[in-house]
Amino acid sequence: MTRTAPSRRNISRTTLYFFGALGGILFGYDLGVISGALPFITKLWSLSSWDKGVITASISVGAVIGAIFSPRGNEALGRRRTIMSAAVIVVLGTLAATFSPTFTMLVISRLVIGVGIGFSSSTVPTYLSELAPARLRGAMGALNQIFIVLGILIAFLVSYGLGSSSNWRLMFACAIVPAVILFFGLIALPETPRWLLSRGREEEARAVLVSSHGSTDVDGELNSIREVIRLDTEKKGRIRDLWAPWVRPMLFVAVLLAAGQQFSGVNAVNAYFPTMLIGLGFATQAALLSGVLLGVTKFLFTAWVVFVVDRWGRKPLLLIGNAIMVLTLIGAALSVYNVHDTATLGVLMLVMMVLYLVGYELGWGAVVWVMMSEVFPLRERAAGMGVASVVLWASTGIITAVFPLMSDPKALGLGGSMLVFAGVNVVLFALTRWLVPETKGRSLEEIELDLRARTPLRAKA
């Protein structure tokens, strides 16, 4: 028996995509806020390099836990209610962080926030990709990244605004605002047509397709989705199904993208750039203001990628981004080794990191989340995004935990750390050129049916 979609769900595509991508704000703000809060927490509790890594990485550990359990929530609750659950978890964790009396309690609170972020980060791209028509899917996936970097920028602005008062607790508390907006916004939004049709709710699925795709061939789209669902009725998707011969190449691609995004070094910059500058002799407020400039750069170039990702393609943007990141990381390392004037070195580091983030946002920032949600077939999509998110967040945790130790002057130092990240980006360039397919302009069903027929994705790149 089918159910008719309620009239309140008949909304504009702009509203649909806005609130669908708002989950990125949660992701970005909670990643970025530690950058501004860390100098004050360090002074309050006399944190060591290891302590800094632990408190920064705790959100990533929680996100791994959330991402592990997100596939089950994705399938049982649907994409929409999973994201709403994530918002509630973030609110609870944020309240605990705001009033944490000890370092240990703050670490635990950020771990709880991370669980919500893990739920959200693996579900929002799926939600967007299943709502967007093929011609807009890359832009809509990039929209998620825009909201992530907007969240980071807001965190940097809030940190700078509150820096003079050292009010790190209020910095954390501000994360409640996007979480509450997300929760109440999603109350009025629909579930994705693919999930609805898999539950036999055809009329609702049709209404959502009309609302999100406009005057496209709704019947043809429904038939494509129905055909894929028919092929998947024999058994439910499981993590072990990702190792099937026809799915395995896409699992490798998703894992490469997820791990590569973090081992490129981006969250070492996002989380520790003000701390880097303070270590080089900058005043705290000047360092926080420099973080704002990084946030503005990330936002502007991510917004620009929305207009080119479906014309230039995913793979060229990844390769261009890698090339820029390699050059700027080498430039940063040379500056650290050869420039001894504090003011000059600070300016050069700021310039190199701004250009580094230009390269990152052009490619690995926006494109990774788009492609991870594209390459998996419907039955394995929730499990695949869960695995990819676990890998991504585990990689984030490793980088944010280890960077304070590796950049310590007694270890590799800041210059040596930059060279390590440059080498990683050289390897990522080679692997991307060799392994990553092009998926622009193709429906999710076409990608899946091609996989089933063992037709290489490169054939239609």
Side-chain angles (χ1 to χ4, degrees):
M1 180 177 179
T2 58
R3 287 181 255 181
T4 304
S7 59
R8 68 182 175 91
R9 299 285 174 86
N10 189 17
I11 58 177
S12 72
R13 278 178 282 173
T14 301
T15 303
L16 194 71
Y17 298 139
F18 175 81
F19 282 105
L22 192 59
I25 288 281
L26 295 179
F27 190 154
Y29 189 91
D30 283 303
L31 278 179
V33 71
I34 193 63
S35 174
L38 191 58
F40 305 108
I41 297 171
T42 299
K43 186 180 296 185
L44 175 65
W45 286 316
S46 301
L47 302 186
S48 65
S49 294
W50 171 252
D51 293 332
K52 294 176 188 177
V54 168
I55 200 167
T56 304
S58 58
I59 197 169
S60 303
V61 175
V64 170
I65 297 171
I68 288 172
F69 289 100
S70 67
R72 182 170 295 183
N74 236 297
E75 294 303 319
L77 300 176
R79 285 49 161 152
R80 183 178 68 96
R81 284 185 288 181
T82 299
I83 300 171
M84 292 174 69
S85 300
V88 172
I89 295 171
V90 168
V91 169
L92 295 176
T94 300
L95 288 172
T98 301
F99 298 104
S100 292
T102 64
F103 169 76
T104 301
M105 186 62 194
L106 183 56
V107 170
I108 294 171
S109 300
R110 280 178 54 80
L111 189 145
V112 172
I113 294 171
V115 172
I117 297 299
F119 262 72
S120 173
S121 65
S122 62
T123 305
V124 168
T126 300
Y127 185 75
L128 291 176
S129 69
E130 292 186 355
L131 284 171
R135 70 182 186 279
L136 298 176
R137 196 176 62 244
M140 292 304 103
L143 181 63
N144 180 49
Q145 181 66 14
I146 286 181
F147 275 75
I148 291 173
V149 298
L150 179 59
I152 293 174
L153 174 58
I154 292 171
F156 288 168
L157 287 169
V158 169
S159 298
Y160 177 69
L162 296 173
S164 59
S165 63
S166 305
N167 196 341
W168 60 269
R169 295 185 185 275
L170 187 54
M171 294 179 191
F172 284 122
C174 289
I176 293 174
V177 176
V180 170
I181 295 173
L182 177 66
F183 179 86
F184 285 103
L186 282 169
I187 290 176
L189 288 181
E191 186 50 77
T192 69
R194 288 166 178 82
W195 188 85
L196 290 169
L197 202 59
S198 71
R199 295 301 187 272
R201 296 158 64 173
E202 183 168 333
E203 291 306 312
E204 286 181 88
R206 181 182 295 275
V208 175
L209 280 172
V210 170
S211 178
S212 61
H213 288 208
S215 56
T216 57
D217 181 13
V218 174
D219 286 329
E221 186 82 12
L222 283 172
N223 287 335
S224 294
I225 298 171
R226 196 178 291 112
E227 171 64 11
V228 170
I229 292 174
R230 183 189 68 78
L231 293 170
D232 291 335
T233 53
E234 293 181 3
K235 57 180 179 178
K236 292 183 65 176
R238 297 161 296 184
I239 290 179
R240 69 186 182 193
D241 294 333
L242 297 172
W243 203 248
W246 66 280
V247 182
R248 196 183 307 153
M250 294 302 99
L251 175 63
F252 289 162
V253 169
V255 168
L256 168 64
L257 294 172
Q261 187 190 66
Q262 296 308 309
F263 282 97
S264 69
V266 66
N267 274 313
V269 177
N270 288 338
Y272 295 110
F273 187 66
T275 303
M276 289 182 207
L277 291 185
I278 292 171
L280 293 174
F282 266 51
T284 300
Q285 281 298 95
L288 293 176
L289 182 60
S290 297
V292 171
L293 181 56
L294 293 189
V296 170
T297 301
K298 288 170 68 66
F299 179 75
L300 291 177
F301 277 87
T302 302
W304 181 70
V305 168
V306 170
F307 298 100
V308 299
V309 67
D310 284 314
R311 288 189 288 118
W312 289 20
R314 284 63 157 151
K315 187 169 181 175
L317 288 172
L318 290 173
L319 295 174
I320 292 170
N322 270 140
I324 294 174
M325 288 190 286
V326 169
L327 293 175
T328 53
L329 286 167
I330 292 174
L334 293 176
S335 298
V336 171
Y337 286 135
N338 296 295
V339 178
H340 303 291
D341 177 70
T342 299
T344 303
L345 177 57
V347 171
L348 286 173
M349 283 296 293
L350 180 60
V351 170
M352 289 298 112
M353 291 301 96
V354 165
L355 294 176
Y356 166 85
L357 290 176
V358 168
Y360 173 81
E361 298 303 340
L362 279 178
W364 289 77
V367 172
V368 164
W369 286 103
V370 173
M371 290 197 73
M372 287 196 309
S373 63
E374 288 178 328
V375 297
F376 290 110
L378 176 63
R379 191 184 68 210
E380 285 81 13
R381 189 167 301 141
M385 282 300 294
V387 169
S389 295
V390 167
V391 170
L392 188 146
W393 279 110
S395 302
T396 304
I398 292 170
I399 292 300
T400 52
V402 169
F403 183 74
L405 299 174
M406 65 187 288
S407 61
D408 190 288
K410 296 178 182 178
L412 292 176
L414 187 56
S417 300
M418 296 295 107
L419 289 179
V420 168
F421 288 134
V424 170
N425 278 282
V426 170
V427 174
L428 288 175
F429 182 95
L431 291 176
T432 300
R433 186 174 177 83
W434 178 38
L435 295 175
V436 176
E438 182 60 77
T439 58
K440 69 172 182 177
R442 309 179 68 204
S443 73
L444 298 175
E445 286 69 39
E446 182 183 2
I447 294 171
E448 174 167 352
L449 292 172
D450 277 355
L451 280 169
R452 289 182 177 277
R454 298 175 182 265
T455 301
L457 291 176
R458 295 176 188 270
K460 295 189 178 182

